[in-house]
């Protein structure tokens, strides 16, 4: 992805998390499912879940 | 002295009958029997009735003098009805029950998921049918009486002194105690089985936090007979509510309790009234008068004993496992257990099979329970999320379901179904290829409607059957099969032949079964061009083997397969 696009997504995510307030976790869970469905590949998604859980 | 209540249990719609107790002198004079069954519930009576159909008597010991309190198991699956047909009560359930096949999930006032079980012209019974457990038990009791099966009401097993190779029990009654000895004891004494507890037998699996109130109310509701599931309702945030219609104007409401609330608090009349009114209000039925019949609390569990045979004590039903209410897994699993157990125990009692045949009961049914725990576990984690993570994902799914199709299948409520004993040692090792996925070895024989309006499973009573399909009646082939059948009979092996013909041939006989629309080929064969014409079916209607034709190779394998069940006299 182009950095400029990544920057736009970055900002949008941050703002949406703020807007969601207490529901931010729910928002991120929904987004995870929507993105997983779009990607459509189980092993890729499971790999990304693993990546995300590193270095927390 | 065991004094069960002799006052009819209270109910606003069911008339409880208090059954008589036999005098103690009579009981003391008959203290040695082949088989005793602890518990006159669905599991116990189904086992007794199937054994009787195979020629083996049993005595049922029931500590109470009436059928169960409350409606309890209200939903019976098609497979359960097929089993109840084998014991002769299915038609009664059909007369008084409410059939249905669709389930709905609601969230924030919107229906987010609907599932309809397909209706096939080849099934005699509907996907699901609702009837209160008291009625089912009453029909089973009547069937036992008609069959001459002795039920000892008010007899409570208080101790077991030995359990291998015979079972020696102490039984308590209102008139005193007596000792009772049997070769086999079927423990069908329910979730709180005293017998299981006596031996300290532990179950494996999961116990979930979620607790539910189940309440039966009499109310006139203009709603369809379908499963209604409400998620995260406004009056019960984060929890789940279920509604089912029962006969006689009764509705079952299940709702989850908030964590920390005790059963006593939950069952207080004020609490019940407030919550039931809140639910009715939410679905737009507030203000309609209603009356409470029965209420109880249960917790969601998914557990099984790892082994159902303990010496000469055989566990079945809730005594053997506690399975999730989601997917109606309780009584529906019990029927399958007892059907599997009964034919095997009958053969062992008749000395037609070695005792280790009973090991296959345990292996097959523990396997089924583990499958249910897997599948049911998913449903349970969705209905009553056990942790923060599961709660989050469940709520994310609820929210997405309002706008997005892709998550809706996650609402799928996995219903109790028949199991395929794919790895059973009772299956014929080398069998013909070409059978359909539905008619694979280990599965229940698929049902088809025949020309005369009967169904294939109607003809599969508790006995071994050799089902043979031919396009036309062939007298030579039939003679060969009848000769083989006679040879087996000489070895004390009983095998029924069920012949199905595509067309009446030149020598059609009135009693023959025809399938002129090729349903047999469509359902049993992978390809319409060729497939196995012969199926060996067990007394529980599961397929043990299949062959291309009834030739010598087929007969040899059937002989050794059934010979494995039988010891030669």
């Amino acid at each position: 992805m182009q950095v400029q696009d990544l920057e736009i997504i970055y900002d949008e995510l941050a703002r949406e998390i703020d807007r969601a307030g207490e529901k931010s976790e729910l928002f991120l869970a929904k987004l995870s499912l929507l993105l997983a469905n779009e990607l459509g590949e189980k092993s890729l998604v499971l790999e990304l879940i693993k990546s995300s859980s590193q270095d927390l | 002295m065991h004094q069960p209540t002799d006052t009819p249990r209270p109910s606003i719609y069911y008339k409880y009958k208090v059954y008589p107790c036999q005098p103690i002198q009579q009981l003391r004079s008959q203290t040695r029997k082949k088989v005793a069954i602890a518990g006159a519930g669905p599991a116990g009576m189904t086992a007794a009735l199937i054994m009787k159909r195979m020629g083996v008597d049993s005595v049922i010991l029931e500590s109470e003098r009436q059928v169960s309190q409350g409606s309890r198991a209200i939903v019976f699956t098609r497979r359960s009805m097929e089993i109840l047909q084998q014991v002769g009560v299915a038609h009664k359930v059909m007369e008084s029950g409410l059939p249905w096949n669709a389930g709905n999930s609601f969230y924030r006032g919107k229906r987010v998921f609907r599932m309809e079980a397909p209706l096939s012209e080849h099934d005699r019974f509907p996907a699901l049918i609702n009837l209160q457990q008291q009625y089912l038990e009453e029909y089973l009791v009547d069937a036992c009486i008609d069959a001459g099966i002795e039920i000892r009401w008010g007899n409570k097993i208080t101790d077991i002194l030995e359990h291998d190779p015979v079972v020696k029990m102490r039984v308590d009654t209102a008139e005193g105690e007596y000792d009772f000895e049997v070769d086999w004891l079927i423990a069908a004494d329910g979730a709180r089985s005293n017998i299981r507890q006596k031996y300290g037998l532990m179950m494996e699996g999961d116990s979930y936090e979620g607790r539910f109130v189940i309440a039966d109310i009499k109310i006139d509701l203009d709603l369809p007979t379908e499963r209604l599931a409400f998620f995260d309702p406004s009056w019960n945030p984060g929890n789940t509510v279920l509604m089912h219609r029962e006969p006689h104007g009764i509705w079952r409401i299940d709702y989850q309790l908030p964590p920390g609330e005790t059963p006593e608090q939950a069952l207080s009349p004020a609490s019940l009234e407030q919550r039931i009114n809140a639910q009715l209000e939410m679905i737009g039925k507030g203000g309609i008068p209603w009356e409470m019949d029965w209420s109880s609390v249960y917790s969601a569990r998914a557990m099984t004993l790892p082994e159902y045979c303990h010496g000469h004590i055989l566990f079945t039903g809730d005594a053997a496992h506690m399975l999730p209410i989601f997917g109606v897994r309780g009584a529906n699993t019990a029927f399958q257990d007892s059907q599997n157990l009964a034919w095997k125990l009958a053969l062992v009692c008749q000395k037609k099979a070695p005792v280790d045949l009973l090991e296959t009961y345990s292996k097959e049914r523990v396997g089924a329970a583990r499958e249910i725990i897997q599948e049911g576990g998913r449903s349970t984690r969705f209905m009553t999320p056990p942790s923060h993570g599961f709660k989050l994902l469940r709520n994310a799914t609820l929210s997405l379901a309002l706008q997005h199709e892709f998550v809706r299948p996650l609402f799928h409520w996995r219903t109790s179904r028949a199991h395929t004993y794919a790895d059973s040692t009772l299956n014929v090792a080398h069998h013909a290829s070409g059978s359909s996925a539905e008619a694979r070895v280990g599965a229940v024989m698929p049902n088809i409607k025949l020309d005369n309006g009967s169904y294939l499973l109607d003809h599969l009573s508790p006995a071994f059957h050799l089902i043979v399909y031919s396009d036309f009646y062939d007298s030579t082939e039939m003679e060969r099969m009848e000769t083989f059948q006679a040879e087996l009979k000489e070895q004390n092996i009983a095998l029924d032949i069920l012949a199905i013909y595509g067309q009446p041939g030149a020598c059609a006989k009135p009693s023959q079964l025809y399938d002129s629309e090729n349903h047999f080929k469509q359902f049993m064969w992978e390809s319409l061009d060729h497939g196995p014409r012969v199926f060996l079916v067990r007394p529980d209607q599961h397929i043990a083997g299949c062959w291309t034709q009834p030739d010598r190779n087929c007969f040899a394998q059937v002989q050794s397969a059934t010979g494995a069940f039988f010891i030669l006299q």
Side-chain angles (χ1 to χ4, degrees):
Chain A
M1 183 178 282
Q2 301 262 18
V3 167
Q4 299 94 301
D5 288 342
L6 188 57
E7 285 178 338
I8 290 168
I9 289 169
Y10 179 104
D11 288 346
E12 198 50 40
L13 269 173
R15 291 197 183 105
E16 205 53 61
I17 286 170
D18 287 337
R19 274 196 280 266
E22 275 183 3
K23 301 264 171 104
S24 64
E25 213 182 10
L26 182 62
F27 157 71
L28 288 169
K30 285 179 70 176
L31 183 60
S32 303
L33 287 173
L34 280 165
L35 289 169
N37 189 54
E38 280 301 318
L39 277 173
E41 243 193 76
K42 182 181 81 172
S43 34
L44 175 56
V45 174
L46 291 175
E47 240 180 79
L48 292 172
I49 290 174
K50 208 159 169 213
S51 299
S52 306
S53 64
Q54 283 166 349
D55 305 320
L56 286 173
Chain B
M1 296 258 251
H2 171 58
Q3 307 268 17
T5 176
D6 58 3
T7 315
R9 303 192 208 268
S11 169
I12 59 181
Y13 66 91
Y14 185 77
K15 244 188 154 65
Y16 279 93
K17 194 168 157 185
V18 179
Y19 294 96
C21 298
Q22 291 180 49
I24 189 78
Q25 306 92 300
Q26 204 168 306
L27 297 171
R28 283 185 179 138
S29 72
Q30 300 177 61
T31 54
R32 187 73 180 74
K33 297 274 180 179
K34 257 212 165 81
V35 181
I37 299 176
M45 290 195 279
T46 298
L49 286 163
I50 293 178
M51 291 187 71
K52 185 71 175 185
R53 290 215 165 188
M54 292 183 70
V56 176
D57 273 310
S58 58
V59 177
I60 300 175
L61 301 169
E62 169 53 53
S63 69
E64 294 301 310
R65 291 177 60 184
Q66 309 175 50
V67 298
S68 296
Q69 172 76 66
S71 62
R72 307 182 79 206
I74 51 167
V75 182
F76 302 106
T77 61
R78 174 176 293 136
R79 182 60 195 150
S80 295
M81 289 296 282
E82 288 163 359
I83 296 169
L84 290 172
Q85 181 185 29
Q86 273 201 329
V87 308
V89 305
H91 65 287
K92 285 190 172 175
V93 177
M94 287 296 281
E95 276 163 31
S96 43
L98 299 175
W100 58 284
N101 72 317
N104 308 277
S105 297
F106 297 93
Y107 178 59
R108 294 200 183 160
K110 180 174 167 169
R111 184 174 68 194
V112 291
F113 181 69
R114 178 182 169 81
M115 195 177 75
E116 288 182 33
L119 290 168
S120 162
E121 54 158 333
H122 295 287
D123 287 313
R124 173 180 277 286
F125 301 111
L128 301 139
I129 186 162
N130 287 1
L131 180 67
Q132 295 94 342
Q133 188 168 324
Q134 304 96 312
Y135 289 102
L136 175 70
E137 289 185 354
E138 178 190 311
Y139 303 154
L140 289 169
V141 169
D142 288 345
C144 285
I145 293 170
D146 287 345
I149 294 170
E150 184 188 345
I151 303 180
R152 296 189 179 182
W153 298 97
N155 276 229
K156 184 183 167 108
I157 300 172
T158 51
D159 201 4
I160 302 178
L161 304 136
E162 287 173 41
H163 63 277
D164 199 344
V166 293
V167 184
K168 294 185 178 171
M169 301 168 262
R170 180 138 306 138
V171 184
D172 198 9
T173 75
E175 287 188 281
E177 291 182 329
Y178 69 96
D179 284 341
F180 195 40
E181 187 180 305
V182 294
D183 288 329
W184 298 96
L185 173 65
I186 296 179
D189 54 337
R192 291 189 212 95
S193 165
N194 283 334
I195 299 171
R196 189 187 71 235
Q197 290 186 49
K198 178 197 158 54
Y199 292 101
L201 302 174
M202 303 301 288
M203 293 197 186
E204 61 181 48
D206 298 301
S207 207
Y208 293 91
E209 279 289 314
R211 286 214 236 190
F212 280 75
V213 161
I214 46 179
D216 274 3
I217 63 172
K218 190 170 172 72
I219 184 172
D220 191 4
L221 284 179
D222 182 21
L223 290 170
T225 303
E226 299 181 345
R227 179 196 197 246
L228 306 168
F230 302 87
F231 288 88
D232 188 29
S234 45
W235 67 270
N236 196 355
N239 292 330
T240 314
V241 183
L242 292 160
M243 290 178 70
H244 285 277
R245 183 192 283 275
E246 299 171 28
H248 305 286
I250 306 292
W251 277 83
R252 165 74 65 84
I253 304 180
D254 291 44
Y255 55 85
Q256 199 172 343
L257 298 184
E261 191 169 305
T262 68
E264 294 69 37
Q265 292 168 318
L267 293 176
S268 76
S271 171
L272 290 166
E273 191 175 321
Q274 188 240 326
R275 284 164 168 165
I276 290 171
N277 281 335
Q279 172 63 15
L280 293 172
E281 193 66 49
M282 186 183 83
I283 62 174
K285 306 289 179 187
I288 299 178
W290 58 269
E291 203 188 332
M292 175 69 70
D293 178 74
W294 169 73
S295 63
S296 181
V297 168
Y298 74 84
S299 29
R301 270 187 258 225
M303 314 177 80
T304 179
L305 286 174
E307 171 65 61
Y308 292 168
C309 304
H310 184 74
H312 278 220
I313 300 177
L314 309 163
F315 288 88
T316 180
D318 283 356
H321 47 64
M322 286 185 265
L323 297 170
I325 198 159
F326 313 116
V328 296
R329 305 281 190 170
N332 292 302
T333 306
F335 295 124
Q336 295 178 28
D337 292 340
S338 290
Q339 186 199 35
N340 189 304
L341 172 60
W343 72 264
K344 293 171 181 176
L345 185 57
L347 292 182
V348 168
C349 288
Q350 292 169 325
K351 298 217 190 317
K352 289 181 174 180
V355 166
D356 57 14
L357 178 61
L358 294 170
E359 264 312 304
T360 69
Y361 160 67
S362 188
K363 284 211 169 65
E364 289 174 6
R365 293 309 303 171
V366 170
R370 286 176 175 153
E371 276 174 33
I372 294 166
I373 288 168
Q374 270 266 349
E375 288 170 26
R378 280 235 156 81
S379 299
T380 307
R381 288 192 292 278
F382 193 82
M383 300 295 283
T384 65
S387 71
H388 174 69
F390 280 104
K391 209 166 270 171
L392 195 56
L393 266 298
R394 198 279 299 271
N395 293 344
T397 304
L398 290 177
S399 179
L400 284 168
L402 292 171
Q403 315 277 359
H404 301 271
E405 182 60 45
F406 83 94
V407 291
R408 289 173 186 155
L410 292 172
F411 285 81
H412 169 43
W413 46 294
R414 301 155 189 85
T415 322
S416 172
R417 55 174 181 81
H419 294 262
T420 296
Y421 307 132
D423 301 322
S424 175
T425 52
L426 299 181
N427 294 339
V428 169
H430 305 284
H431 47 84
S433 58
S435 63
S436 63
E438 290 73 31
R440 64 192 180 283
V441 170
V444 174
M445 187 76 194
N447 210 2
I448 53 170
K449 193 167 187 180
L450 301 165
D451 283 11
N452 69 356
S454 72
Y455 297 82
L456 177 52
L457 259 56
D458 295 350
H459 306 279
L460 295 179
S461 56
F464 281 98
H465 285 86
L466 204 62
I467 300 178
V468 185
Y469 174 87
S470 323
D471 286 326
F472 296 99
Y473 172 70
D474 176 345
S475 58
T476 321
E477 184 170 275
M478 182 50 87
E479 268 166 40
R480 271 209 325 269
M481 290 195 292
E482 284 170 348
T483 307
F484 173 57
Q485 183 185 37
E487 280 169 24
L488 287 181
K489 191 167 179 197
E490 263 170 54
Q491 297 168 45
N492 220 357
I493 299 171
L495 182 70
D496 286 4
I497 297 173
L498 190 70
I500 301 172
Y501 300 101
Q503 302 290 336
C507 322
K509 294 179 189 168
S511 60
Q512 283 168 355
L513 299 171
Y514 298 105
D515 167 39
S516 58
E517 287 176 57
N518 282 328
H519 298 307
F520 188 94
K521 293 177 182 174
Q522 283 162 25
F523 278 77
M524 316 308 174
W525 294 359
E526 209 177 311
S527 141
L528 286 179
D529 298 326
H530 69 276
R533 290 205 289 121
V534 187
F535 284 81
L536 176 63
V537 178
R538 305 166 10 162
D540 57 10
Q541 303 174 335
H542 283 254
I543 299 167
C546 62
W547 296 266
T548 312
Q549 47 224 348
D551 58 13
R552 269 209 197 145
N553 170 57
C554 163
F555 291 161
Q557 291 195 325
V558 169
Q559 175 139 13
S560 84
T562 50
F565 308 144
F566 298 82
I567 47 177
L568 300 175
Q569 297 283 28

